[in-house]
């Protein structure tokens, strides 16, 4: 890539006011570095990934309200986690976390376990039990 | 330790975090080693496909070697000794960090990205192999040189502990590292040769998960995705290829350009004009990776794209595999 071709597209980096460094070739064919504000293909990929997560969150919310899954699943999606990541944060086996997604099992969880989840999600146990309370 | 402690450390922004930390720590210790030099000697360039490992609900594609690998190889090949420490106890991890700062020693840290508050929200995923340097502490805030940032930044004790003890794949466990002894002179020439040879060998390895064979395997899978997974998931997977390729400064194209810059430097140090030519080839391969990203992004922008688009990008990836195979064969011969 030539230095003058370094993309200066709009991107999600703008909000944090930073630019990333890239290597590019100058007029004499020598490598140099240059700053880029962003690149469209990248932004599209990232936007798509975010949209995907938003859909996952919305879907989890509906399922919690329909009593098909527990709020743990909803908060997991909000925090961009998947099962292995959440399991390692709460220090439990994946199968156990998965079981806690069941509304009937969730209702019977003791305070200590609930607190563990609440701490990982940085919310109160009350907010964990009631997903609407978690929204600000 | 005193409350205000600032080591005289020069922050240089870099394209990739691990190279950047190594290069900055080397410069701090009086060795002028560029980011591309670290990347080339440490054999950072790679392509790998790990379909059985899922991150963000999609398989892993990586364009670089494992976290920590670059620094290890770089140190071994140039004759530097490094110290690495991991911790179970966050308090211990903090004490050791403070001790080093009190000894005027900036250290490299491996951290998770999700809780890095100075990153834009959209970039905060559960990715645990980010690297930064801590070079001091002022008013209860640790002074941070994050190589992908333009300027230095800082984190509170609590924030730093969170990122040092992030969980999940590649959990850093407080991982801290720094060079402890240096040879009188770096063995650059032999280190460069070793670095190049390994990259050429890995990229042409006869196993399916790394190098050009992995690229061909991905291409083959791309063709199957629309039918096998449906348009939505196929799109998500394709997006993952580009995201892993291009997220914050790194990337398929980006890494290729860093490698091309390395070959230019190496050509001068080894007095080998052939490497200069190969640098040009690598630049043009990097451009082709960028074209691939442009075309792939066209497909997933239009979420219901026809599956013929997938065939086209698969072809592009196969062409890239062929070019890189040729390239690394010539590179092997050139050194």
């Amino acid at each position: 890539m030539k230095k003058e071709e370094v993309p200066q597209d709009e991107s999600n980096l703008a909000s944090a006011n930073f630019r990333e460094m890239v290597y590019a070739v100058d007029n004499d064919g020598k490598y140099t570095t240059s700053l880029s504000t962003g690149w469209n293909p990248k932004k599209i990929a990232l936007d798509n990934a975010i949209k995907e997560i938003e859909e996952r969150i919305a879907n989890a919310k509906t399922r919690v309200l329909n009593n098909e899954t527990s709020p743990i699943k909803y908060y997991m999606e909000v925090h961009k986690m998947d099962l292995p990541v959440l399991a390692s944060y709460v220090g439990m086996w994946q199968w156990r976390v998965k079981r806690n997604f069941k509304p009937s099992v969730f209702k019977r969880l003791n305070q200590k376990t609930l607190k563990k989840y609440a701490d990982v999600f940085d919310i109160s146990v009350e907010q964990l039990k009631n997903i609407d309370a978690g929204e600000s | 330790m005193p409350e205000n402690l600032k080591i005289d450390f020069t922050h240089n922004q870099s394209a990739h975090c691990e190279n950047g930390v190594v290069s900055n720590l080397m410069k701090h210790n009086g060795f002028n080693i560029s980011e591309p030099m670290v990347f080339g000697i440490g054999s950072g360039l790679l392509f790998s496909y790990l379909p059985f490992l899922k991150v963000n609900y999609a398989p892993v594609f990586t364009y670089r070697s494992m976290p920590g690998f670059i620094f290890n190889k770089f140190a071994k090949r140039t004759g530097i000794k490094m110290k690495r420490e991991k911790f179970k106890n966050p308090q211990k991890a903090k004490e050791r960090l403070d001790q080093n700062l009190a000894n005027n020693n900036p250290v490299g840290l491996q951290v998770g990205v999700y809780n890095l508050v100075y990153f834009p929200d959209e970039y905060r995923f559960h990715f645990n192999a980010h690297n930064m340097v801590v070079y001091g502490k002022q008013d209860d805030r640790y002074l941070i040189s994050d190589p992908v940032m333009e300027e230095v930044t800082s984190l509170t004790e609590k924030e730093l502990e969170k990122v040092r003890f992030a969980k999940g794949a590649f959990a850093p466990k407080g991982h801290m590292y720094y060079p402890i002894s240096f040879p009188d002179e770096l063995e650059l020439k032999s280190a460069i040769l070793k670095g190049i040879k390994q990259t050429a060998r890995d990229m042409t390895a006869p196993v399916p998960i790394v190098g050009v064979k992995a690229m061909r395997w991905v291409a083959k899978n791309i063709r199957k995705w629309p039918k096998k997974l449906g348009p939505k998931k196929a799109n998500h997977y394709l997006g993952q290829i580009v995201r892993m390729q291009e997220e914050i400064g790194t990337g398929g194209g980006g890494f290729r350009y860093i490698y091309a810059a390395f070959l230019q430097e190496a050509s001068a140090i080894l007095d080998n004009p052939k490497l200069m030519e190969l640098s040009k080839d690598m630049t043009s391969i990097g451009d082709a990776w960028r074209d691939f990203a442009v075309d792939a992004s066209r497909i997933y922008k239009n979420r219901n794209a026809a599956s013929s688009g997938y065939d086209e990008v698969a072809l592009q990836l196969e062409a890239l595999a062929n070019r890189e195979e040729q390239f690394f064969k010539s590179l092997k011969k050139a050194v």
Side-chain angles (χ1 to χ4, degrees):
Chain A
M1 178 172 56
K2 293 211 176 72
K3 198 174 173 186
E4 59 265 26
E5 292 165 359
V6 170
Q8 304 295 346
D9 301 340
E10 201 188 305
S11 79
N12 318 61
L13 292 172
S15 62
N17 204 14
F18 83 72
R19 294 174 293 174
E20 51 191 34
M21 204 179 94
V22 293
Y23 284 79
V25 180
D26 70 12
N27 286 332
D28 303 325
K30 271 203 73 156
Y31 260 94
T32 175
T33 62
S34 181
L35 292 171
S36 162
T37 54
W39 191 38
N40 266 334
K42 223 160 135 169
K43 181 170 162 42
I44 299 169
L46 187 57
D47 288 348
N48 261 46
I50 306 245
K51 218 186 278 166
E52 191 98 15
I53 290 167
E54 281 164 0
E55 281 173 20
R56 239 188 269 281
I57 296 171
N59 183 273
K61 190 170 186 177
T62 316
R63 294 192 56 209
V64 173
L65 297 176
N66 292 338
N67 210 25
E68 290 163 355
T69 190
S70 80
I72 295 173
K73 170 95 175 167
Y74 166 77
Y75 285 111
M76 177 182 93
E77 300 293 2
V78 169
H79 286 266
K80 299 184 193 162
M81 293 175 170
D82 57 13
L83 187 60
V85 171
L86 176 57
S88 63
Y89 267 100
V90 289
M92 294 193 248
W93 294 100
Q94 289 187 31
W95 63 262
R96 229 186 117 192
V97 174
K98 212 169 171 180
R99 226 175 89 80
N100 294 343
F101 289 165
K102 281 191 183 171
S104 55
V105 176
F106 178 76
K107 275 188 199 98
R108 283 184 278 123
L109 287 181
N110 60 33
Q111 197 65 17
K112 203 180 135 203
T113 313
L114 288 173
K115 181 88 173 81
K116 245 188 213 173
Y117 282 110
D119 285 349
V120 165
F121 298 135
D122 212 5
I123 52 176
S124 67
V125 171
E126 254 344 280
Q127 283 171 320
L128 179 69
K129 283 185 186 161
N130 177 358
I131 62 170
D132 285 325
E135 268 169 31
S136 48
Chain B
M1 70 186 267
E3 273 314 290
N4 286 307
L5 196 151
K6 189 176 171 192
I7 300 170
D8 187 18
F9 182 84
T10 311
H11 171 80
N12 297 291
Q13 191 182 8
S14 67
H16 177 248
C17 63
E18 187 172 348
N19 303 327
V21 164
V22 181
S23 167
N24 283 340
L25 285 177
M26 290 301 293
K27 283 177 183 157
H28 180 76
N29 285 288
F31 296 92
N32 191 15
I33 298 288
S34 70
E35 171 182 11
M37 220 7 118
V38 173
F39 186 65
I41 291 177
S43 297
L45 191 80
L46 192 69
F47 183 87
S48 186
Y49 177 39
L50 310 169
F52 39 83
L53 191 68
K54 297 275 198 299
V55 169
N56 300 319
Y57 302 93
V60 172
F61 311 89
T62 160
Y63 298 79
R64 48 163 285 194
S65 52
M66 294 275 289
F69 180 100
I70 296 176
F71 203 166
N72 279 345
K73 291 283 171 193
F74 175 83
K76 205 174 148 198
R77 288 170 181 159
T78 49
I80 293 160
K81 286 216 169 56
M82 279 233 308
K83 186 160 170 89
R84 284 184 181 279
E85 290 180 272
K86 286 192 181 186
F87 304 87
K88 280 205 178 103
N89 179 340
Q91 187 55 32
K92 275 251 162 61
K94 177 185 170 307
E95 280 165 19
R96 292 288 293 139
L97 173 62
D98 289 348
Q99 265 171 29
N100 272 291
L101 296 178
N103 289 337
N104 214 20
N105 186 32
V107 298
L109 294 183
Q110 185 196 330
V111 297
V113 171
Y114 185 69
N115 281 303
L116 275 184
V117 287
Y118 55 77
F119 268 11
D121 271 348
E122 300 91 330
Y123 282 84
R124 288 166 56 185
F125 288 92
H126 294 275
F127 171 70
N128 285 334
H130 189 58
N131 293 272
M132 56 163 64
V133 171
V134 181
Y135 69 98
K137 196 176 179 186
Q138 262 175 350
D139 307 324
D140 281 337
R141 291 184 77 87
Y142 283 100
L143 306 178
I144 310 282
S145 156
D146 186 321
V148 303
M149 304 279 293
E150 278 185 81
E151 306 289 341
V152 292
T153 174
S154 69
L155 290 172
T156 66
E157 281 187 10
K158 207 182 154 199
E159 286 165 348
L160 187 66
E161 183 180 311
K162 254 189 173 168
V163 294
R164 290 184 80 189
F165 285 87
K167 302 274 169 57
F170 302 121
K173 301 194 173 86
H175 191 174
M176 184 170 96
Y177 55 88
Y178 47 93
I180 46 172
S181 86
F182 302 89
D184 293 336
E185 213 160 317
L186 295 188
E187 299 156 29
L188 270 194
K189 283 186 184 171
S190 68
I192 290 171
L193 291 176
K194 280 182 197 154
I196 288 179
K197 277 181 187 151
Q198 186 183 1
T199 301
R201 194 171 59 232
D202 289 352
M203 287 301 292
T204 53
V207 288
I209 59 165
V210 296
V212 295
K213 287 221 155 164
M215 288 160 64
R216 293 193 181 114
W217 190 21
V218 174
K220 219 167 144 184
N221 282 354
I222 288 177
R223 287 202 172 86
K224 294 185 199 154
W225 284 345
K227 272 212 182 85
K228 201 176 143 199
L229 308 169
K232 206 174 155 202
K233 210 165 175 187
N235 252 326
H236 181 56
Y237 279 22
L238 195 61
Q240 175 104 327
I241 298 186
V242 174
R243 277 192 43 236
M244 289 213 158
Q245 183 179 326
E246 301 293 344
E247 204 95 292
I248 305 211
T250 59
F255 278 140
R256 264 83 191 149
Y257 296 137
I258 302 177
Y259 202 73
F262 158 69
L263 290 175
Q264 276 199 354
E265 259 190 77
S267 165
I269 294 171
L270 298 175
D271 196 19
N272 181 343
K274 182 80 181 125
L275 293 183
M276 197 65 174
E277 270 171 51
L278 285 165
S279 164
K280 281 184 197 137
D281 290 349
M282 186 88 282
T283 303
S284 129
I285 288 173
D287 291 341
W289 272 105
R290 286 175 74 84
D291 294 341
F292 168 80
V294 170
D295 290 343
S297 69
R298 277 205 194 107
I299 295 180
Y300 54 69
K301 193 176 176 184
N302 173 9
R303 291 184 127 197
N304 302 309
S307 60
S308 65
Y310 283 85
D311 286 337
E312 277 163 35
V313 290
L315 265 177
Q316 256 175 306
L317 192 54
E318 277 159 352
L320 272 164
N322 292 342
R323 282 183 76 177
E324 293 208 342
E325 186 170 26
Q326 276 311 312
F327 175 87
F328 286 105
K329 280 184 177 159
S330 322
L331 184 62
K332 222 187 254 175
K333 280 193 203 122
V335 293

